[in-house]
Amino acid sequence: MTPVRALAAEAVWRDIAMQIGGDAVAVDCVMTAPELDPHLFEPTPATARAVAAADVLIANGGGYDAWMDRLVDAGKSSGARYIRISDVIGWREPDNTHFWYDPVIVRQAAAAIASAFSGYAGYAAPAIAARKEALLRDIDAIAARIRALRARFSGARVAATEPFLDRLLGALGLDEAHAEFQRSVMNDVEPGPADVAAFESDLRNGRLSMLVYNAQTVTPATTRLLSLASAARIPTISVTETLPPKLRWQDWMSGILDQIEQALSSNVNRRPA
């Protein structure tokens, strides 16, 4: 039988689709290079052809990959099933769009993707359902670990250089500081002097239990914050915004949680002043 042709905008959703589809689905991805910024990505004619040829299209939505919406609109006659994760979960502005850091959302996405694949490949529906259930067990294990870490570390005061990890830090019950600074960085706006001064003061005086930074967008400002954290012996963790090559979603999340647990365990007695 000819495999279902699926195309995902981001590598993380390709991974989820591959885990569910198995050999019944051929999954391609638009943004395969980790250094690509989905907000700035410009599709090529080859991207448009790939969209037109797919049976199932998967995008993050919420404005994260608006270029995908434009390509789908241009090729509406193809009849492809279009799954936007933002639609699946009923996302509303201004909620964070880094959906893959939330196991509840990944669970919903997996169910929607499995349903679409089964609709195109009914002969493989039992195998697709079995793979979906296996993935859901892994997702539930990640969620259980988040609950266990929340019980240990809830209330710890932390900060990040930008708000890409908000959903996970919130699920862990962590008190995330300096939201205005992070929003400025996310919107490519220079943070205000008062926001910078407050952030640096908290680092110098050891008022944070952990500093998170995006390994894909290290800037001079980020480097300065890391230097201040190091001088104050505040643990830092490096997280990528996109799924690293050759990793499954659940292994990536486990690694991030390992880093968080290690950082907060080493600084567990530090609490807001």
Side-chain angles (χ1 to χ4, degrees):
M1 303 292 285
T2 303
V4 177
R5 297 165 301 177
L7 179 68
E10 293 85 20
V12 64
W13 301 122
R14 174 185 60 176
D15 171 67
I16 297 298
M18 289 175 65
Q19 291 192 54
I20 293 169
D23 57 9
V25 182
V27 188
D28 205 350
C29 182
V30 177
M31 300 187 62
T32 55
E35 67 274 11
L36 290 176
D37 185 338
H39 302 287
L40 305 176
F41 178 74
E42 288 295 334
T44 65
T47 311
R49 289 193 294 270
V51 168
D55 298 312
V56 178
L57 297 160
I58 307 165
N60 194 73
Y64 191 82
D65 42 20
W67 48 268
M68 190 71 156
D69 293 339
R70 295 193 296 272
L71 291 176
V72 172
D73 285 343
K76 277 182 178 177
S77 60
S78 69
R81 172 77 179 273
Y82 186 28
I83 300 172
R84 286 198 307 180
I85 309 306
S86 58
D87 293 340
V88 171
I89 66 169
W91 173 86
R92 293 289 182 271
E93 191 80 46
D95 289 350
N96 194 293
T97 57
H98 296 82
F99 301 136
W100 48 88
Y101 295 118
D102 185 339
V104 174
I105 292 177
V106 176
R107 210 178 198 286
Q108 293 174 281
I113 292 168
S115 176
F117 288 170
S118 294
Y120 277 93
Y123 67 93
I128 290 170
R131 284 189 291 267
K132 180 195 75 172
E133 290 304 318
L135 175 59
L136 293 184
R137 287 193 290 273
D138 286 347
I139 294 171
D140 289 346
I142 294 293
R145 187 172 179 202
I146 289 172
R147 290 193 296 272
L149 292 176
R150 182 186 181 100
R152 292 175 60 191
F153 301 119
S154 180
R157 192 167 184 262
V158 304
T161 57
E162 54 186 286
F164 68 108
L165 207 63
D166 277 5
R167 286 184 176 275
L168 181 57
L169 298 179
L172 289 165
L174 302 177
D175 177 13
E176 194 175 358
H178 305 296
E180 286 301 322
F181 179 101
Q182 295 181 54
R183 277 194 288 271
S184 295
V185 171
M186 179 182 66
N187 294 321
D188 293 320
V189 175
E190 191 71 23
D195 293 330
V196 173
F199 203 154
E200 292 187 355
S201 175
D202 273 354
L203 289 169
R204 286 195 191 92
N205 292 288
R207 290 193 289 263
L208 296 171
S209 295
M210 177 179 71
L211 176 65
V212 180
Y213 70 97
N214 185 343
Q216 293 171 243
T217 57
V218 177
T219 65
T222 301
T223 301
R224 175 169 174 76
L225 295 176
L226 292 173
S227 177
L228 291 172
S230 176
R233 296 187 177 182
I234 294 172
T236 63
I237 70 166
S238 167
V239 179
T240 58
E241 184 175 348
T242 57
L243 178 72
K246 300 180 180 179
L247 274 185
R248 299 183 307 164
W249 172 85
Q250 53 268 56
D251 301 323
W252 182 37
M253 288 299 104
S254 291
I256 294 171
L257 292 174
D258 286 345
Q259 285 195 77
I260 292 173
E261 181 175 21
Q262 182 176 357
L264 294 179
S265 294
S266 69
N267 213 9
V268 70
N269 293 320
R270 192 185 302 276
R271 286 292 182 266

